Amino acid sequence: MPAELMRESYPIQGGDFDTAGEISGELKTILRDLGIEAGSLRRIVVVAFEAEMNVVMYARRGTLTFILTDDAVDLEIRDDGPGIPDLELAFQEGYSTASDEMRELGFGFGMGLPNMRKNSDDLRVETEVGKGTTVFARIRLDAHE
Amino acid sequence: MTLGEIRDILQCEVLTEGDDLSLDVQNVVASDGMSEILAFARSKELMITGLTNIQAVRTADIAGVSAIVFCRGKRPDARVVEFAKKKRVPIFVTRLVMFDICAILYNKGLKGVS
């Protein structure tokens, strides 16, 4: 296992659409200041933002943790939401269980999980109905699109 | 096209200017769905949307777009404009509808992203 250079965890408040995305915005600032290459930075923050929005939309609370190593950023987004009954279906582009309120805010068009997968080098989702969901994502830091 | 040329051809009002109106733009993402913007933005695209809430600016910042064009004359509120200033995201407002904006820019050689 590569050595951890940095690890931070942030609480996510479910249902708060006003501040939704703040953590990912802050993460972008931190990683940019650390000199992370632009392509990798964009992929990291897109995954973080989509995951953060999912927590805000579906759970009461959650946590976003990022771990920086020499060659990658690992994101772990854990929530106490309703869980995902059919993961395969949830990964289909366009499939969504979002409410009208979520859609009015510009989210819930069935692109969140596909976007996370597209921007990660490794993505794993653990979920249990009634308990919650955890997303593990790894994004390598070598330049790629 | 530069951001300045886009501002002129779309008859935009500039709410926040950002850093550089001479920035060259070649691609466009247009949607009211923020995940659609995130799915297709690579960086420095122009973002066209009718969604004027704070999430539109957050999405623009995360995606790294060059500017937001709000269509149909829709205006974000002052708090959203302040946030865009802080994030250095240029905001243009035009009375044109999304279809017409896309057609005008396409005819000028700009392309979508797929």
Side-chain angles (χ1 to χ4, degrees), chain A residues 50-102:
Chain A
E50 290 282 16
E52 186 182 352
M53 290 308 301
N54 273 350
V55 176
V56 172
M57 287 193 286
Y58 291 105
R60 281 170 304 173
R61 67 183 69 84
T63 312
L64 184 151
T65 303
F66 86 90
I67 301 140
L68 174 68
T69 63
D70 273 337
D71 58 359
V73 163
D74 286 320
L75 295 170
E76 184 184 309
I77 303 95
R78 193 177 291 274
D79 71 48
D80 68 352
I84 304 169
D86 187 337
L87 257 184
E88 197 181 333
L89 195 57
F91 269 103
Q92 274 183 24
E93 283 193 14
Y95 177 78
S96 175
T97 57
S99 66
D100 287 346
E101 186 197 10
M102 297 172 192

Side-chain angles (χ1 to χ4, degrees), chain B residues 19-41:
Chain B
D19 291 331
D20 185 9
L21 287 177
S22 68
L23 186 72
D24 187 50
V25 176
Q26 295 179 359
N27 295 103
V28 177
V29 286
S31 182
D32 289 350
M34 295 301 100
S35 289
E36 296 272 345
I37 303 282
L38 291 167
F40 296 109

Side-chain angles (χ1 to χ4, degrees), chain A residues 17-18 20 28 50 106 118, chain B residues 34-35 39 55 58 61 79:
Chain A
F17 288 98
D18 204 42
K28 181 180 178 181
E50 290 282 16
K118 190 170 136 189
Chain B
M34 295 301 100
S35 289
Q55 293 306 336
R58 282 197 201 285
D61 177 46
R79 199 172 60 95

Side-chain angles (χ1 to χ4, degrees), chain A residues 122-140:
Chain A
D122 186 31
L123 184 78
R124 192 160 48 88
V125 180
E126 289 178 1
T127 186
E128 192 179 341
V129 173
K131 291 277 177 64
T133 300
T134 305
V135 175
F136 303 90
R138 169 164 294 176
I139 299 97
R140 294 198 321 264

Side-chain angles (χ1 to χ4, degrees), chain B:
Chain B
M1 292 184 84
T2 66
L3 283 181
E5 288 168 335
I6 289 168
R7 170 200 59 196
D8 294 342
I9 199 168
L10 299 178
Q11 304 157 46
C12 294
E13 180 185 346
V14 177
L15 299 189
T16 67
E17 208 167 79
D19 291 331
D20 185 9
L21 287 177
S22 68
L23 186 72
D24 187 50
V25 176
Q26 295 179 359
N27 295 103
V28 177
V29 286
S31 182
D32 289 350
M34 295 301 100
S35 289
E36 296 272 345
I37 303 282
L38 291 167
F40 296 109
R42 292 288 170 276
S43 79
K44 302 302 174 195
E45 281 88 357
L46 184 72
M47 168 176 163
I48 303 167
T49 187
L51 190 82
T52 55
N53 66 22
I54 198 155
Q55 293 306 336
V57 179
R58 282 197 201 285
T59 300
D61 177 46
I62 294 290
V65 303
S66 58
I68 307 174
V69 175
F70 288 123
C71 58
R72 305 193 301 275
K74 294 181 78 175
R75 303 176 70 90
D77 66 29
R79 199 172 60 95
V80 175
V81 175
E82 269 314 302
F83 184 64
K85 274 184 192 160
K86 187 176 151 200
K87 293 290 182 184
R88 299 179 183 281
V89 176
I91 291 185
F92 301 165
V93 177
T94 176
R95 297 186 63 79
L96 297 171
V97 297
M98 189 184 280
F99 181 83
D100 290 349
I101 295 169
C102 293
I104 290 166
L105 296 179
Y106 189 87
N107 282 332
K108 287 290 178 184
L110 274 72
K111 292 285 186 282
V113 183
S114 56

